[in-house]
């Protein structure tokens, strides 16, 4: 069988090469055509096998594959020499993003800087902060009013005219690169907006484009699918389908104006691969793969994280290795932790949001109990050494409590009840809560709910709680030290608060995520050097921690070893480096906590805390102040 498969792949390659020859004549191949041919020979078996897994039963399979490769070849021909130089450099240093110097930031172009030009003007600040990675929230053409913050894309090849042009984006990518900053944008490939040209043609009855989406003449199949599919945005519409003006039903997992693409159709895969390579050639370094879990549907299943979803992402990855080798993927799967890791591998997504660490950091702050987080770090943190977590505290989205019920049960915690407590706590419906958040997609049918709010508002700064600032820093200290790429939601570093004005805007009022998407907090940035202000204190804390991270090689890479503190309020973990280990201890309680001398039995007699500069005599045990954390350097 192996032999037969090998022969088949060889024959397929010969067929594809023949098609390449007719499509791109020898006169039009460009200087580094040989490099493409070499890549094709390397990558073809992988690409062919993946493509066959999804589309292999089709009669036109080889033609579809050939079309895909021809498109990749054209894209390679158009790829600029500076980008090809980066391709080569990163292939020679595949762990470049594992450096302890890595620091990510994310912001909305319009809200944070007005336009792409405005983003350019903020590069000096990004450098001051130490960013090496900048995620600009969706900036493509989208419907004017209904755009889900840009996640409803009307054209992947046009920048939203209010923000700038594609030429400006390309220039910005180059300028950021010159400042040592990689550019990250979203690849919103599960759905398009209803104003995308494909959608308009589908609506107009064009048979070719109708097949780009999931359109049904009546409710029979939608009803059948909905028996096993969960509701994502129930505040917008129940279920996963919306009715078109002509009476038909279309799949819309998220908002009614975001129509799911039908990847059972290989033309959809090819079209989106084309958009992906177009973006790659603008100088994008990472694509944030939006809503990865939803891209494959099958009747009778939850239609989330199905095997074909992984195959498709791997196939997109293989296309990159062929025609844009330095482009990497970041997975956005905010799902059960067992499913989150399934997207992470060099052949699928090289980096991934770490939603579990994020959610459990907030869980620990609410309960003042760090055991669930400690368990998650010990059990679920270590991933493939060629991949990295993106560790964040807040994002533009809601917080969902995506911990594993099985893990919680080990501490006698009931998952459903615990989520209910956390939701109540963070929307200030629990006595004594320091948090000022708001609910998101409260679903009375299922009891599901998520919460929104900025880091500072959730941590107690808005409420004037005495521990608020320290909680913001505690949460970020974890993101900065567990291993992976720390990601700063820009504005958090000056303690930006909730903005409730969204409730007055008819297009935002239904979506409480806008509460934590404020405009550039100019006042707080102006105060950032003033230690008498909240902004100044928070910013000084961030600057200090960022500097420390960048100076501490043990914080590079991702490997983490647990550390039992024998005190439920105190989180512990070790980051092993080549010549020293950093032992992190973090007190989630609002009271001082002591760790007995025996806890440190096998360690050196003394260790310096990198955060405070204080030497600790471990033989005496360690006492941490309320919400204090230490990064102990063990030699
Ligand atoms: C993503 O989030 C984006 O981050 C959101 O801003 C978009 O609205 C959405 O996709 C549609 O493009 O449900 O509440 O992992 O958690 O993909 C946010 C599943 C979301 C979801 C995630 C989605």
């Amino acid at each position: 069988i192996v032999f037969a498969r090998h022969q088949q792949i060889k024959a397929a390659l010969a067929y594809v090469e023949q098609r390449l020859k007719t499509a791109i004549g020898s006169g039009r191949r460009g200087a580094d055509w040989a490099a493409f041919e070499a890549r094709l020979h390397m990558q073809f078996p992988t690409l062919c096998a993946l493509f066959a897994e999804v589309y292999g039963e089709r009669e036109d399979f080889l033609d579809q594959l050939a079309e895909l490769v021809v498109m990749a070849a054209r894209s390679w021909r158009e790829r600029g020499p500076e980008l090809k130089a980066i391709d080569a450099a990163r292939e020679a240093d595949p762990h470049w993003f594992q450096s302890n110097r890595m620091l990510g930031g994310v912001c909305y172009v319009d809200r944070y800087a007005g336009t792409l030009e405005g983003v350019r003007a903020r590069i000096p600040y990004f450098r001051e902060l130490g960013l090496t990675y900048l995620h600009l929230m969706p900036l493509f053409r989208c419907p004017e009013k209904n755009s889900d913050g840009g996640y409803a894309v009307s054209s992947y090849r046009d920048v939203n005219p209010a923000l700038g042009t594609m030429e400006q984006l390309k220039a910005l990518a180059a300028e950021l690169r010159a400042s040592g900053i990689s550019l990250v944008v979203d690849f919103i490939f599960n759905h398009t907006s209803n104003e995308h040209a494909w959608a308009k043609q589908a609506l107009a009855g064009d048979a070719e484009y109708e097949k780009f989406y999931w359109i049904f003449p009546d409710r029979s199949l939608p009803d059948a699918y909905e028996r096993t599919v969960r509701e994502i945005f129930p505040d917008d519409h129940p279920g996963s389908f919306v009715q078109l003006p002509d009476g038909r039903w279309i799949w819309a997992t998220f908002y009614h104006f975001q129509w799911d693409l039908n990847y059972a159709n290989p033309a959809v895969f090819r079209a989106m691969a084309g958009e992906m390579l177009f973006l790659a050639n603008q100088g994008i370094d990472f694509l944030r793969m939006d809503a990865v879990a939803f891209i494959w549907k099958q009747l009778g299943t939850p239609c989330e994280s199905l095997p074909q979803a992984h195959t498709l992402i791997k196939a997109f990855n293989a296309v990159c290795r062929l025609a844009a080798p330095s482009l990497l993927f970041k997975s956005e799967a905010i799902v059960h932790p067992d499913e989150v890791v399934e997207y992470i591998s060099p052949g699928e997504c090289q980096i991934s949001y770490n939603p579990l660490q994020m959610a459990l950091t907030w869980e620990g702050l609410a309960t003042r109990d760090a055991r669930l987080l400690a368990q998650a770090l010990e059990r679920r943190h270590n991933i493939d050494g060629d991949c990295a977590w993106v560790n964040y505290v807040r994002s533009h989205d809601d917080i969902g409590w995506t911990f594993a019920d099985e893990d919680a049960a080990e501490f006698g915690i009931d998952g459903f009840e615990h989520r209910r407590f956390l939701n109540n706590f963070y929307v200030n419906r629990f006595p004594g809560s320091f948090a000022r958040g708001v609910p998101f997609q409260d679903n009375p049918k299922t009891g599901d709910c998520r919460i929104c709010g900025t880091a500072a508002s959730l941590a107690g700064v808005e409420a004037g709680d005495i521990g608020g600032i320290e909680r913001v820093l505690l949460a970020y200290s974890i993101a900065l030290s567990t291993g992976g790429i720390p990601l700063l939601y820009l504005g958090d570093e000056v303690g930006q608060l909730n903005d409730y004005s969204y409730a007055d805007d008819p297009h935002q009022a239904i979506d409480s995520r806008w509460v934590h998407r404020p405009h550039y907090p100019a006042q707080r940035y102006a105060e950032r050097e003033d230690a008498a202000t909240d902004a100044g204190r928070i910013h000084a804390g961030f600057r200090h921690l960022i500097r420390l991270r960048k100076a501490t090689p043990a914080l590079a890479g991702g490997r983490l070893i647990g550390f039992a503190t024998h005190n439920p309020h105190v989180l512990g973990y070790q980051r092993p480096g080549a010549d020293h280990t950093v032992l992190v201890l973090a007190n989630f309680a609002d009271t001082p906590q002591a760790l007995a001398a025996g806890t440190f039995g096998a360690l050196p007699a003394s260790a310096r805390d990198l955060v405070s500069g204080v030497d600790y005599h471990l033989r005496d045990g360690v006492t941490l102040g309320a919400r204090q954390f230490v990064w102990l350097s063990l030699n």
Side-chain angles (χ1 to χ4, degrees):
I1 294 166
V2 173
F3 177 74
R5 204 165 150 253
H6 180 72
Q7 290 305 315
Q8 270 179 4
I9 288 181
K10 258 180 76 176
L13 179 58
Y15 182 82
V16 167
E17 284 185 311
Q18 188 53 44
R19 284 281 295 271
L20 261 180
K21 207 180 266 173
T22 20
I24 307 177
S26 50
R28 293 178 290 129
R29 292 185 164 188
D32 39 14
W33 182 257
F36 182 79
E37 279 183 327
R39 290 189 177 286
L40 182 59
H41 280 251
M42 279 270 287
Q43 297 300 330
F44 188 79
T46 307
L47 179 61
C48 180
L50 291 165
F51 208 64
E53 260 178 56
V54 189
Y55 305 117
E57 301 295 311
R58 296 174 59 101
E59 266 179 27
D60 65 350
F61 165 69
L62 271 185
D63 289 321
Q64 294 285 349
L65 183 58
E67 287 290 317
L68 180 64
V69 173
V70 167
M71 187 198 59
R74 292 207 167 105
S75 171
W76 172 259
R77 230 179 23 170
E78 280 153 27
R79 191 163 170 82
E82 0 35 84
L83 297 182
K84 286 178 176 166
I86 293 175
D87 291 337
R90 294 201 173 147
E91 274 180 311
D93 179 19
H95 287 176
W96 66 273
F97 56 82
Q98 307 266 8
S99 163
N100 55 302
R101 304 198 58 80
M102 282 297 284
L103 176 68
V106 50
C107 66
Y108 283 92
V109 174
D110 56 342
R111 306 210 136 214
Y112 196 77
T115 59
L116 289 177
E117 272 306 305
V119 173
R120 234 184 103 211
R122 298 218 190 280
I123 292 179
Y125 174 67
F126 298 151
R127 295 178 64 145
E128 172 196 315
L129 203 55
L131 295 193
T132 63
Y133 161 124
L134 179 67
H135 173 201
L136 294 178
M137 294 297 296
L139 39 71
F140 304 102
R141 187 185 290 280
C142 60
E144 206 176 313
K145 299 270 188 292
N146 282 331
S147 77
D148 187 20
Y151 282 96
V153 177
S154 304
S155 165
Y156 299 89
R157 299 199 184 217
D158 293 308
V159 167
N160 177 348
L163 308 179
T165 63
M166 196 49 88
E167 291 67 42
Q168 285 176 327
L169 183 66
K170 192 171 185 173
L172 178 64
E175 198 165 332
L176 287 168
R177 194 177 314 123
S179 300
I181 303 173
S182 300
L183 181 57
V184 188
V185 301
D186 282 84
F187 189 50
I188 300 148
F189 68 126
N190 176 69
H191 45 266
T192 72
S193 88
N194 58 347
E195 293 183 9
H196 193 286
W198 304 336
K200 287 185 181 162
Q201 288 169 86
L203 196 60
D206 180 320
E208 185 185 344
Y209 289 100
E210 282 178 337
K211 283 188 251 148
F212 268 47
Y213 300 92
W214 295 86
I215 302 178
F216 302 97
D218 55 46
R219 282 291 312 179
S220 54
L221 273 169
D223 284 339
Y225 279 109
E226 279 178 358
R227 276 195 275 279
T228 50
V229 167
R230 83 189 159 106
E231 291 181 325
I232 306 298
F233 284 175
D235 287 354
D236 182 65
H237 62 277
S240 295
F241 299 83
V242 293
Q243 195 162 25
L244 297 174
D246 60 17
R248 296 183 296 169
W249 292 83
I250 191 160
W251 202 308
T253 297
F254 297 96
Y255 276 106
H256 61 278
F257 48 83
Q258 287 165 308
W259 295 352
D260 290 48
L261 287 164
N262 183 355
Y263 281 95
N265 176 2
V268 169
F269 182 88
R270 286 194 289 102
M272 285 310 293
E275 307 309 87
M276 174 184 78
L277 291 179
F278 174 83
L279 291 175
N281 283 355
Q282 311 309 306
I284 307 300
D285 295 281
F286 291 94
L287 285 180
R288 172 195 180 277
M289 307 296 278
D290 184 56
V292 285
F294 298 92
I295 60 171
W296 190 262
K297 339 282 197 204
Q298 197 172 310
L299 198 61
T301 74
C303 298
E304 276 184 65
S305 295
L306 296 178
Q308 290 87 342
H310 295 284
T311 309
L312 286 166
I313 301 165
K314 287 177 183 157
F316 279 121
N317 181 314
V319 172
C320 291
R321 304 285 76 72
L322 202 55
S326 58
L327 183 69
L328 301 178
F329 291 169
K330 168 185 177 178
S331 163
E332 191 259 338
I334 315 301
V335 289
H336 188 285
D338 290 343
E339 283 175 31
V340 172
V341 295
E342 286 173 4
Y343 292 91
I344 307 171
S345 73
E348 192 165 342
C349 295
Q350 298 87 352
I351 65 174
S352 166
Y353 277 109
N354 192 348
L356 183 63
Q357 179 179 306
M358 182 279 294
L360 291 180
T361 298
W362 289 107
E363 188 271 346
L365 290 174
T367 57
R368 280 78 161 178
D369 185 326
R371 285 178 299 171
L372 271 180
L373 179 55
Q375 179 205 49
L377 286 173
E378 171 136 24
R379 193 176 283 180
R380 298 180 181 274
H381 182 82
N382 289 324
I383 51 174
D384 188 311
D386 295 330
C387 298
W389 287 115
V390 174
N391 295 314
Y392 64 117
V393 171
R394 286 300 292 117
S395 76
H396 69 287
D397 276 335
D398 49 291
I399 299 178
W401 309 105
T402 59
F403 57 83
D405 284 17
E406 316 82 90
D407 292 358
E410 290 176 30
F411 296 104
I413 295 170
D414 176 85
F416 186 83
E417 285 304 321
H418 201 49
R419 285 186 187 90
R420 189 147 74 174
F421 157 72
L422 292 167
N423 286 327
N424 283 332
F425 185 91
Y426 278 108
V427 302
N428 191 23
R429 286 181 203 149
F430 189 85
S433 171
F434 51 72
R436 296 291 179 269
V438 287
F440 179 66
Q441 307 292 338
D442 204 342
N443 191 338
K445 270 190 286 181
T446 57
D448 285 344
C449 182
R450 290 109 86 181
I451 62 113
C452 295
T454 67
S457 288
L458 294 177
V461 178
E462 183 178 325
D465 186 272
I466 189 166
I469 290 177
E470 288 172 359
R471 282 188 206 98
V472 172
L473 293 172
L474 173 62
Y476 268 100
S477 79
I478 292 164
L480 283 157
S481 64
T482 54
I485 303 171
L487 176 61
L488 187 59
Y489 191 58
L490 287 165
D492 277 0
E493 80 283 18
V494 290
Q496 72 179 347
L497 300 176
N498 286 348
D499 174 358
Y500 298 98
S501 65
Y502 76 98
D504 306 327
D505 179 327
H507 295 284
Q508 297 182 344
I510 145 180
D511 191 331
S512 57
R513 290 176 297 175
W514 290 103
V515 81
H516 58 243
R517 299 170 178 175
H519 289 275
Y520 182 81
Q523 178 65 28
R524 294 184 95 85
Y525 275 106
E527 292 167 354
R528 73 182 189 274
E529 306 293 341
D530 180 355
T533 63
D534 283 357
R537 280 194 289 268
I538 294 173
H539 198 254
F542 270 90
R543 263 202 315 259
H544 180 52
L545 291 177
I546 291 168
R547 215 175 297 130
L548 272 184
R549 172 180 156 88
K550 291 195 182 231
T552 307
L555 297 180
R559 221 164 81 77
L560 178 147
I561 300 171
F563 185 83
T565 64
H566 304 292
N567 179 327
H569 305 293
V570 180
L571 175 69
Y573 50 89
Q574 308 171 72
R575 297 298 319 285
D579 49 14
H580 70 136
T581 287
V582 170
L583 169 62
V584 173
L585 300 171
N587 179 11
F588 279 68
D590 292 317
T591 49
Q593 293 295 321
L595 304 181
T599 315
F600 304 97
L603 301 183
S606 78
R608 169 153 302 179
D609 170 27
L610 300 173
V611 179
S612 63
V614 169
D615 284 322
Y616 280 81
H617 301 283
L618 300 181
R619 297 293 171 264
D620 303 335
V622 170
T623 298
L624 296 176
R627 302 167 297 269
Q628 189 192 349
F629 53 89
V630 292
W631 292 359
L632 297 173
S633 178
L634 308 175
N635 285 301

